[in-house]
Amino acid sequence: MIAIPLFLQYIIIMILGLINGAIGVLIGGVSIITIPALILIGLSPHVAIATNRVGLLGMIFAGSYELNRQKLINYRLGFLIGAMALVGSIVGAHLVLKIEGQALKIIVAIFSAVLLIVLLLNPSRGIVKEQKTVTKRHYISGAFFSLLLGTYGGFYGAGVATFFSYLLVFLYGETFVQSTGTRNIPMLLLSVVTSAIFIQNKVVDFGFAGALFVSMGIGGYLAARHVQVIGD
């Protein structure tokens, strides 16, 4: 634990939240920074994960509002993958207090590396929207991977938004810009459900959660306004 005054802890968390809110709307993966930061200021890993998940709602709400205004959310596709993600998140949230997550993090790291290699081998994927026919096989595969991502999202969640973007790009032909909007549907569903579970189990630090909610909301909204300018 770092012995620094409480007000400085809040300032640090809010600065991180503002920056990470902007990054999170664009590429995701911000929990890799915020969860360790919360642990460093003295929260237990369980409380840090739960507090971060509640704080992320600010970014998701604000980002979704602006991305919806820009018509970047495919609601039909978002709810299709979001339904299975929601189921998985319930499982993941209940596991977070019971199971050590090192093995799962190794699996996710391998999964991420494979996806990045595939992306490098297909540089136009995610830049130009593909005209592809989505078949029953795509929906079944998407449901399976969404269930896994939802479980991971409820359990630890760092990088899960990025993984949803990969899923939308590779399986359904969306561009990365489009995926930043559509992925907010599964992210919203799993975050609301897991936050409720964590709150019910009294593992949320509401002070830091509130600081993250506000700062990540501001950062997320500002970034979402410029997402199409920044591009793929």
Side-chain angles (χ1 to χ4, degrees):
M1 177 178 177
I2 299 177
I4 57 178
L6 184 61
F7 79 94
L8 285 180
Q9 294 178 14
Y10 276 100
I11 291 174
I12 292 170
I13 291 302
M14 291 194 73
I15 292 173
L16 284 177
L18 185 66
I19 297 171
N20 288 345
I23 296 173
V25 162
L26 298 175
I27 61 175
V30 296
S31 295
I32 296 173
I33 299 173
T34 52
I35 292 176
L38 289 168
I39 293 173
L40 282 173
I41 63 174
L43 301 188
S44 72
H46 303 99
V47 175
I49 290 171
T51 300
N52 175 72
R53 180 56 59 190
V54 175
L56 282 171
L57 286 172
M59 178 189 73
I60 297 171
F61 285 141
S64 295
Y65 171 80
E66 179 59 27
L67 293 169
N68 175 71
R69 192 184 65 82
Q70 298 179 44
K71 302 186 185 304
L72 287 175
I73 301 178
N74 183 332
Y75 283 97
R76 180 175 181 273
L77 181 56
F79 279 109
L80 279 172
I81 65 174
M84 294 305 294
L86 186 150
V87 174
S89 70
I90 295 173
V91 177
H94 283 98
L95 288 175
V96 74
L97 299 176
K98 300 178 181 179
I99 298 179
E100 198 279 322
Q102 188 61 38
L104 183 58
K105 283 188 277 188
I106 292 173
I107 293 172
V108 171
I110 294 173
F111 182 46
S112 178
V114 170
L115 285 172
L116 287 173
I117 291 172
V118 173
L119 180 61
L120 290 174
L121 294 176
N122 297 271
S124 65
R125 189 72 66 90
I127 297 176
V128 179
K129 182 173 177 62
E130 295 186 17
Q131 299 299 321
K132 64 188 299 182
T133 301
V134 179
T135 65
K136 183 179 180 180
R137 176 176 61 84
H138 290 92
Y139 287 121
I140 294 174
S141 299
F144 173 72
F145 285 115
S146 295
L147 180 65
L148 294 181
L149 289 176
T151 302
Y152 172 66
F155 183 76
Y156 182 67
V160 70
T162 306
F163 294 143
F164 273 119
S165 277
Y166 287 142
L167 179 67
L168 291 163
V169 168
F170 288 106
L171 205 58
Y172 299 106
E174 289 203 328
T175 67
F176 277 114
V177 167
Q178 291 168 331
S179 75
T180 61
T182 303
R183 75 184 181 196
N184 271 357
I185 300 299
M187 287 301 299
L188 177 61
L189 292 175
L190 76 85
S191 294
V192 168
V193 170
T194 54
S195 293
I197 293 172
F198 292 144
I199 291 171
Q200 183 181 25
N201 283 274
K202 300 179 180 180
V203 290
V204 176
D205 185 304
F206 287 103
F208 288 118
L212 281 174
F213 186 95
V214 172
S215 58
M216 294 185 81
I218 295 172
Y221 175 76
L222 294 175
R225 292 195 63 180
H226 300 91
V227 67
Q228 296 199 69
V229 176
I230 297 171
D232 293 292

